[in-house]
Amino acid sequence: MKYELYHYLAIPSVYRVGTETEIVIRPLESKYEFTDGGNYKVAILPLSTRHDMIDRLEKITVTPKIVNGTLRFSYTFPNEDEYYLQMICDGKNMDKLAVYALNDDLYALRPLKGDTHIHSCRSDGKETPAIVAANYRAAGYDFIGLTDHHKYAPSVEAIEAYKDIRLGMTQMFGEEVHSPETYLHIVHFGGMYSVNKIFEDDKEKFLKEVDKIDRELGEGIPFTDARSRFVYASAVWCVREIRKAGGIAIFPHPFWIWTVYNVPTEMTRRLILGDVFDAFELISGQSAHENNYQTQFYYTLKDEYWLENGRPLKLPVLGASDSHGTVNRWLFNHKFSVVFAKSRRPEDILDAIRNGQSVAVEIYEEGETHGVHSTAESYGVHGDYRLMAYGRFLCENYFPRTQKLCAVDGALMQEYSMGSEEAGRLLAMRADVTDQFYQMYFGR
């Protein structure tokens, strides 16, 4: 977490463009309190400003009031952008805080940190569903979906473990679908029943329906060999069934290397160009090699799609850890999504993803920034440029703060899963903690 986040908090930190807002800069430690004897100024610097404006700070500088050790001032942000509040005392620069101004459409949506592809010990993960949920909450997640291989029941188990208490995190149903006789993995996120169970109960019915899809699509399946046609048609079957269940069908990790790529490149290409899936797992819990290929292939196909169809490819992107463990495991909490939804209700999260209101995030290892070693994490954020810019701000400034709040919840969830009634009582008392912080941070 950036040093300045330990020192100060701007309330609010996200604003509506064109609306005058009172801003309070609050110290988080007595050492950083503002004193009556200081001559304070706050320069408001748009991140995209011209360099020559920095030499004319008086044009964008306000003189705040000092009230009970805080700085207070009002300002109207003219454009959607990230801004720095550069605090100045007696002509010397202090810390600067990053804030953001948004147009009405994006300001109306709540940013949510989530993971749509997670495993427990009910398939090939390490921990029980209840502990997986607890550890994700401790890491600051607003929503998750457990998606064990072949199994829908573990996601139900995770939700049932906390059914008698109100949590500050939304849990979704899910599973990783492995249809018979294909190499495809398909993430089923948010549906109300299992798709795996359909073909497990009646494989022959599945094969007949896939054959029917093959004949129905005909030349719409861009392959001539029987094997590839079957794989493509089975993907269409799975997606249709996932949609019937009310979920979204996510195409995960096609460039995962398991001796060779999990999915042949031409199959990946045709499934994406054919508008088969609801979302694409752009960033997976895989190596940099694999994620580099996935991201570049996706953007290349966007150009190809435009040339073929005369319209843009509208395939939402997600980031997911594909975590198989939440304790001392690198992938956990290093690949995730930020979804911009009306609320954290399941239906609003699903609608936001369907509408492309999401970005994929990967965290890089600690390194150097401008020659200075940084203890703050560095984020790669992928997706629509506008959402990317806002999402990167949130990853650096908002989510680190909510993660600190969620750490307590995660510990209590673990105790509750082991039978502690007191932990349940405390969890119920804390159910609105992150919601309340969100309202304060966004000036609701």
Side-chain angles (χ1 to χ4, degrees), residues 68-190:
N68 297 326
T70 67
L71 295 185
R72 294 174 181 256
F73 61 95
S74 294
Y75 191 77
T76 302
F77 292 85
N79 300 301
E80 184 169 283
D81 200 351
E82 182 173 351
Y83 292 78
Y84 288 132
L85 304 183
Q86 174 65 70
M87 292 171 281
I88 304 165
C89 180
D90 298 328
K92 295 182 180 180
N93 286 346
M94 303 168 60
D95 281 341
K96 63 181 180 182
L97 295 175
V99 297
Y100 218 95
L102 295 168
N103 291 328
D104 287 352
D105 60 337
L106 199 47
Y107 182 78
L109 302 176
R110 178 172 178 176
L112 302 169
K113 179 180 178 181
D115 198 334
T116 55
H117 190 173
I118 301 168
H119 297 285
S120 78
C121 68
R122 303 298 182 236
S123 63
D124 55 349
K126 297 296 183 183
E127 300 93 20
T128 62
I131 295 302
V132 170
N135 289 346
Y136 267 92
R137 181 56 177 171
Y141 281 73
D142 298 297
F143 74 91
I144 62 166
L146 195 59
T147 54
D148 271 331
H149 297 285
H150 304 278
K151 296 178 180 180
Y152 183 87
S155 69
V156 178
E157 181 183 344
I159 293 170
E160 287 287 310
Y162 303 102
K163 67 177 182 179
D164 294 329
I165 55 172
R166 193 162 57 93
L167 296 178
M169 177 179 72
T170 301
Q171 290 201 77
M172 312 280 283
F173 297 113
E175 61 187 337
E176 191 160 354
V177 177
H178 299 260
S179 56
E181 301 177 22
T182 77
Y183 45 74
L184 288 177
H185 297 201
I186 299 175
V187 171
H188 169 199
F189 180 74

Side-chain angles (χ1 to χ4, degrees), residues 247-424:
I248 60 172
I250 303 169
F251 188 10
H253 56 56
F255 284 92
W256 165 41
I257 299 173
W258 188 37
T259 307
V260 294
Y261 290 134
N262 175 232
V263 182
T265 304
E266 184 60 17
M267 181 61 71
T268 299
R269 177 172 172 266
R270 287 302 175 180
L271 288 169
I272 291 177
L273 293 178
D275 294 312
V276 173
F277 290 96
D278 298 316
F280 180 56
E281 196 175 273
L282 187 71
I283 295 297
S284 304
Q286 313 297 332
S287 68
H289 171 136
E290 293 153 313
N291 282 321
N292 283 346
Y293 270 75
Q294 283 171 186
T295 53
Q296 189 54 50
F297 198 61
Y298 171 81
Y299 289 115
T300 297
L301 290 183
K302 289 191 76 170
D303 294 337
E304 187 173 338
Y305 188 94
W306 181 273
L307 291 173
E308 282 194 6
N309 300 285
R311 63 181 188 274
L313 173 66
K314 294 186 177 179
L315 180 62
V317 298
L318 294 166
S321 67
D322 191 5
S323 71
H324 288 66
T326 58
V327 178
N328 297 330
R329 301 289 287 248
W330 167 254
L331 297 178
F332 167 63
N333 197 32
H334 282 78
K335 322 284 182 181
F336 57 89
S337 297
V338 178
V339 173
F340 305 93
K342 292 179 181 178
S343 77
R344 59 177 181 83
R345 295 185 303 172
E347 58 268 31
D348 288 335
I349 293 170
L350 291 171
D351 283 346
I353 295 172
R354 292 186 185 106
N355 293 332
Q357 295 161 195
S358 60
V359 291
V361 182
E362 54 184 335
I363 298 179
Y364 305 131
E365 294 187 50
E366 291 180 5
E368 290 193 351
T369 303
H370 300 299
V372 178
H373 182 75
S374 173
T375 57
E377 290 173 316
S378 298
Y379 299 86
V381 183
H382 307 268
D384 171 82
Y385 181 83
R386 183 182 176 213
L387 296 182
M388 176 281 299
Y390 179 37
R392 188 208 54 77
F393 162 82
L394 295 166
C395 287
E396 290 189 359
N397 299 281
Y398 174 65
F399 292 123
R401 293 190 189 273
T402 58
Q403 181 170 341
K404 289 183 68 177
L405 295 173
C406 293
V408 176
D409 292 352
L412 289 171
M413 285 173 67
Q414 180 165 355
E415 291 182 29
Y416 179 79
S417 74
M418 295 300 294
S420 170
E421 293 183 4
E422 177 63 11

Side-chain angles (χ1 to χ4, degrees), residues 57-76:
L57 289 180
E58 72 278 1
K59 301 286 187 182
I60 48 177
T61 299
V62 298
T63 301
K65 297 179 181 178
I66 303 171
V67 180
N68 297 326
T70 67
L71 295 185
R72 294 174 181 256
F73 61 95
S74 294
Y75 191 77
T76 302

